[in-house]
Amino acid sequence: MRLSSGDRLLDIGCGWGGLLCHAARHYGVKAHGVTLSKEQYDYCQDKIAREGLAGQVTVELRDYRTLDQAEACDKIAQIEMFEHVGIDNHDRHFLQMHKLLRSRGLYLHQASTRMATRDLSKFRKPTQYQKVITRFIFPGGEFDYIGLSTTNLERLGFEVHDVEAMREHYIPTLRAWGERLHANQVAAIAEAGAQKCRLWAMYFTLFAFAFERNTVSVFQTLASKRRRGPSGLPLNRESLYRQD
Ligand SMILES: C[S@@+](CC[C@H](N)C(=O)[O-])C[C@H]1O[C@@H](n2cnc3c(N)ncnc32)[C@H](O)[C@@H]1O
């Protein structure tokens, strides 16, 4: 996202605040996050205070669809919140990103996807596996395919700059999550109950398997709010990975 000091960064679906605090500490941005989870909101507030980032990082318990200040952000990150949105609401999602970003502002879109079906009219028919996941883990969740995301971005006023496939990164990631849950099983059962812990252990295993089989993928797509003329971005791919 080419973060730099003073950038106004919005993280929609900010989870436990990891990205917000990292971006503020390492890049000097003014970061704002929204989440629907009270537990995450409370945790983020503690984390911000603990890391001495008050004033630089703020979090709200708020639905991102209610954010209404046009062009309030230089950069927006959406990391794995999109799966909660549902295909029927994708236009509304991208139009909201468009409204909140300044002209040429950058939007980083990370979402899990499924493979497009040969007959696209069959794409939304849920598999048995999806039925389990949406019933027990992500109620109402729905994946799209990467071509639909990039098409929608272009349709709704963005220029796509980069699409990076990260499917194989998620296999060790999900295994690590499963191992950590197992290592902390006693505390997790005390907090969430044995049934929920079993479900999440199953979900981590199933999902690692789905990424391994290549039935599910995940992409990071970088886009900017489109306008005519130069994008202002460097003419090489190395700049995507700069560490400064
Ligand atoms: C799967 S978590 C991802 C969290 C974080 N971005 C990460 O990668 O660790 C999804 C997040 O989206 C948030 N969320 C879902 N729908 C939302 C909405 N309508 N408005 C704001 N946050 C939302 C949830 O509260 C949660 O923080």
Side-chain angles (χ1 to χ4, degrees):
M1 283 188 288
R2 306 195 65 73
L3 297 176
S4 61
S5 183
D7 271 353
R8 299 161 302 170
L9 168 69
L10 172 67
D11 184 6
I12 51 168
C14 65
W16 309 98
L19 173 62
L20 293 171
C21 293
H22 183 88
R25 180 177 302 288
H26 294 278
Y27 298 92
V29 303
K30 283 188 86 69
H32 184 64
V34 290
T35 173
L36 290 182
S37 153
K38 175 79 168 71
E39 287 82 0
Q40 291 180 346
Y41 170 79
D42 290 341
Y43 183 92
C44 285
Q45 297 291 20
D46 284 349
K47 182 175 168 72
I48 294 164
R50 211 168 50 237
E51 299 193 13
L53 293 169
Q56 213 183 328
V57 180
T58 48
V59 177
E60 274 180 293
L61 189 58
R62 180 169 177 173
D63 189 321
Y64 82 103
R65 292 170 295 186
T66 69
L67 295 168
D68 52 10
Q69 206 190 338
E71 312 224 331
C73 313
D74 299 302
K75 315 278 163 74
I76 301 179
Q78 176 291 118
I79 312 288
E80 311 271 347
M81 190 281 299
F82 190 64
E83 296 86 332
H84 295 286
V85 170
I87 288 178
D88 291 336
N89 303 307
H90 283 186
D91 276 20
R92 186 175 170 193
H93 171 85
F94 290 116
L95 289 170
Q96 174 69 340
M97 300 299 94
H98 195 269
K99 180 173 102 180
L100 298 175
L101 268 183
R102 69 157 164 82
S103 178
R104 275 298 179 206
L106 292 177
Y107 172 52
L108 180 71
H109 177 92
Q110 176 174 323
S112 296
T113 57
R114 287 193 296 123
M115 298 301 142
T117 46
R118 181 174 286 232
D119 174 357
L120 286 176
S121 68
K122 299 210 165 73
F123 179 75
R124 293 184 76 177
K125 192 167 173 266
T127 60
Q128 290 304 326
Y129 163 76
Q130 274 165 265
K131 286 184 190 160
V132 172
I133 296 295
T134 50
R135 176 161 176 206
F136 294 109
I137 307 291
F138 290 122
E142 191 175 28
F143 288 177
D144 69 352
Y145 52 95
I146 185 60
L148 183 60
S149 309
T150 52
T151 299
N152 282 334
L153 280 161
E154 283 200 350
R155 277 178 53 238
L156 299 166
F158 290 87
E159 177 179 1
V160 174
H161 297 285
D162 192 73
V163 178
E164 181 168 4
M166 304 192 80
R167 171 176 74 85
E168 285 167 274
H169 293 240
Y170 252 50
I171 304 163
T173 299
L174 280 152
R175 291 209 176 112
W177 286 346
E179 281 160 18
R180 287 179 191 178
L181 179 59
H182 186 68
N184 293 285
Q185 204 173 16
V186 174
I189 290 173
E191 193 169 322
Q195 190 188 34
K196 202 171 220 174
C197 286
R198 271 201 309 277
L199 277 169
W200 278 80
M202 180 194 75
Y203 158 65
F204 290 147
T205 307
L206 269 179
F207 240 59
F209 188 53
F211 281 110
E212 200 168 78
R213 284 177 72 204
N214 200 5
T215 50
V216 174
S217 195
V218 59
F219 292 90
Q220 278 193 345
T221 303
L222 184 71
S224 66
K225 181 165 168 174
R226 187 167 72 225
R227 68 155 197 246
R228 291 212 170 123
S231 70
L233 296 177
L235 301 178
N236 59 61
R237 293 186 58 78
E238 289 75 37
S239 67
L240 290 167
Y241 299 102
R242 77 189 175 114
Q243 296 289 320
D244 55 334

